[in-house]
Amino acid sequence: MEVIIINLPPKLWFGEEVYRIGGKIEARCNYKETVDTLNGILSDRELNWFIEHPQFSHIFHMKQEEYRKHMGVWLLLHRTAKTMMLDECWFIVNGIPIRYSVREHALITGLSCGPLPDNYDRKSSRCDFIKKHFGGTSKIDFLTVKKKLEAMTEEGEGDDRLKIAVLYFLTSVIAGKRKQTTKIDDFLVNIVDDLPLCRRFPWGSYTFKNCVAKIRNYVENQKGIPNPSFCFEGFYLGLERLAFESIPSLKNSHLKDVAEANNACPRMCKSHFVDYDLRGFPLERIYNHLGETKEIQSILEPEADEQHLVANIVETLIMLTEELPGMLL
């Protein structure tokens, strides 16, 4: 692994005066609704495709929490560091850097983070399977896919209903759009015709790339004053957990271990957020437990039973140095 040492610019995207400003994050990763829908529609044979999927299986056996816990995301977004790195993000909490790279994403989510195929998202014509079920329409959106799925039966369809179910899963969990009437990317529309490819495709790298783009787009467009409302499109469960995995005081106070979890599972399956009276944790609660702690993991290291989650990741490890206290890794 190549190691590069660079200086992290001390300037952040936001000043300390906005750290305690909360807001509303709308998430478009509707995994609970999706799992409930598929469990209610699909046959055992079709469900087994998801349950036995080496990546998507984790979405099905993690705790299906009713409400998302977004305040850990606000904590990090407001502390995003300005760097020249386009393939990872750094956040500075109490003077300590926290990295969000493809490795952290893999450890938390269990999605495959191997190299993306060249030109995987190139423009292409609609496959015969899509033409069969959606005709010649130029726009296929989430609502159209859901309606199609609900109208289909397994009998006489072969794997067609399963393929539509996979498309429904991808467009509601992996790559949900802000508006359900927004056109689905052609790449997602076409890939479902090849179920073996859907199984081996590096969905972790795909979702991480999109997540970093959303973070960068947010911080660059706010001009130092955070918008109190933010819609996070796509899969962001890794970012949602990052603060709680990196800061022991938050992990101990906000996460609860899942006793029956498989040791080979990713971290989002090994724990869940503790129950709370409100839908989510208030930002003030997060800060009360954060305090001034410097006990923070800058880089998540895989434990012995997690090595397989990062085995196929090729990256350049960039070490950050800076004059800020505690910035030496």
Side-chain angles (χ1 to χ4, degrees):
M1 178 184 297
E2 182 183 7
V3 178
I4 299 176
I5 300 178
I6 65 174
N7 287 326
L8 175 69
K11 187 173 179 58
L12 307 183
W13 286 101
F14 301 102
E16 292 186 17
E17 68 277 3
V18 308
Y19 286 178
R20 292 180 178 267
I21 297 178
K24 178 182 179 181
I25 295 181
E26 297 180 57
R28 289 298 178 261
C29 179
N30 300 315
Y31 73 92
K32 184 181 186 303
E33 175 186 339
T34 301
V35 170
D36 289 345
T37 297
L38 294 179
N39 278 328
I41 292 178
L42 301 185
S43 67
D44 290 343
R45 180 189 72 85
E46 292 167 324
L47 274 176
N48 282 339
W49 188 90
F50 291 95
I51 294 172
E52 296 173 359
H53 193 285
Q55 303 176 64
F56 299 161
S57 59
H58 303 302
I59 307 297
F60 279 73
H61 61 66
M62 66 183 289
K63 181 178 173 61
Q64 304 299 311
E65 295 174 295
E66 186 73 27
Y67 303 110
R68 309 309 316 138
K69 306 299 189 295
H70 300 311
M71 290 302 103
V73 178
W74 276 130
L75 173 73
L76 296 178
L77 280 181
H78 290 170
R79 289 169 167 76
T80 305
K82 285 189 174 183
T83 76
M84 297 300 293
M85 293 171 283
L86 300 179
D87 56 354
E88 62 185 51
C89 292
W90 288 84
F91 312 97
I92 313 300
V93 178
N94 291 347
I96 308 297
I98 296 176
R99 185 184 73 168
Y100 188 46
S101 76
V102 70
R103 288 174 65 86
E104 281 74 25
H105 190 70
L107 287 172
I108 295 173
T109 69
L111 297 179
S112 174
C113 291
L116 286 165
D118 293 338
N119 302 318
Y120 72 92
D121 57 349
R122 67 182 182 276
K123 297 293 183 181
S124 59
S125 59
R126 297 292 171 85
C127 63
D128 291 340
F129 165 75
I130 292 300
K131 292 177 181 178
K132 172 184 174 181
H133 288 283
F134 297 99
T137 179
S138 61
K139 176 184 176 182
I140 301 174
D141 58 35
F142 169 80
L143 293 180
T144 303
V145 173
K146 184 177 182 182
K147 183 178 179 180
K148 169 64 70 173
L149 175 62
E150 292 172 340
M152 296 179 75
T153 60
E154 184 180 18
E155 291 76 17
E157 296 283 3
D159 279 337
D160 280 13
R161 188 171 73 162
L162 174 57
K163 292 177 180 180
I164 296 296
V166 174
L167 182 57
Y168 169 75
F169 178 89
L170 293 178
T171 56
S172 56
V173 176
I174 298 298
K177 298 289 188 179
R178 180 169 187 171
K179 295 181 179 180
Q180 295 184 334
T181 55
T182 300
K183 178 184 175 182
I184 299 170
D185 296 340
D186 287 342
F187 160 67
L188 297 176
V189 169
N190 284 324
I191 194 174
V192 297
D193 193 34
D194 188 340
L195 291 179
L197 177 58
C198 285
R199 183 178 177 87
R200 65 178 184 271
F201 187 81
W203 293 109
S205 297
Y206 175 85
T207 54
F208 177 75
K209 177 183 176 181
N210 292 338
C211 184
V212 169
K214 299 302 180 187
I215 295 171
R216 189 168 300 278
N217 181 69
Y218 174 80
V219 298
E220 290 179 353
N221 290 332
Q222 303 312 306
K223 302 185 185 305
I225 303 176
N227 191 321
S229 179
F230 175 41
C231 181
F232 208 107
E233 297 180 315
F235 186 91
Y236 90 125
L237 297 183
L239 181 63
E240 182 185 51
R241 284 296 190 96
L242 180 62
F244 301 95
E245 291 292 341
S246 302
I247 306 173
S249 62
L250 295 186
K251 182 174 185 177
N252 295 336
S253 57
H254 291 78
L255 294 183
K256 182 178 180 179
D257 290 339
V258 176
E260 64 274 17
N262 189 307
N263 288 337
C265 279
R267 298 189 183 188
M268 71 179 188
C269 297
K270 293 179 178 178
S271 64
H272 63 84
F273 288 110
V274 299
D275 294 331
Y276 193 64
D277 293 339
L278 303 177
R279 290 188 175 187
F281 301 127
L283 188 59
E284 194 61 32
R285 171 188 168 97
I286 300 289
Y287 276 107
N288 288 341
H289 288 278
L290 174 66
E292 300 298 325
T293 183
K294 301 286 186 181
E295 186 181 353
I296 295 174
Q297 285 185 274
S298 293
I299 295 175
L300 297 184
E301 294 293 343
E303 298 178 359
D305 53 12
E306 296 176 322
Q307 294 291 338
H308 67 287
L309 298 175
V310 296
N312 296 323
I313 296 175
V314 178
E315 64 170 349
T316 296
L317 178 58
I318 302 178
M319 306 295 285
L320 304 182
T321 64
E322 183 47 51
E323 296 178 355
L324 294 176
M327 288 290 289
L328 291 178
L329 303 188

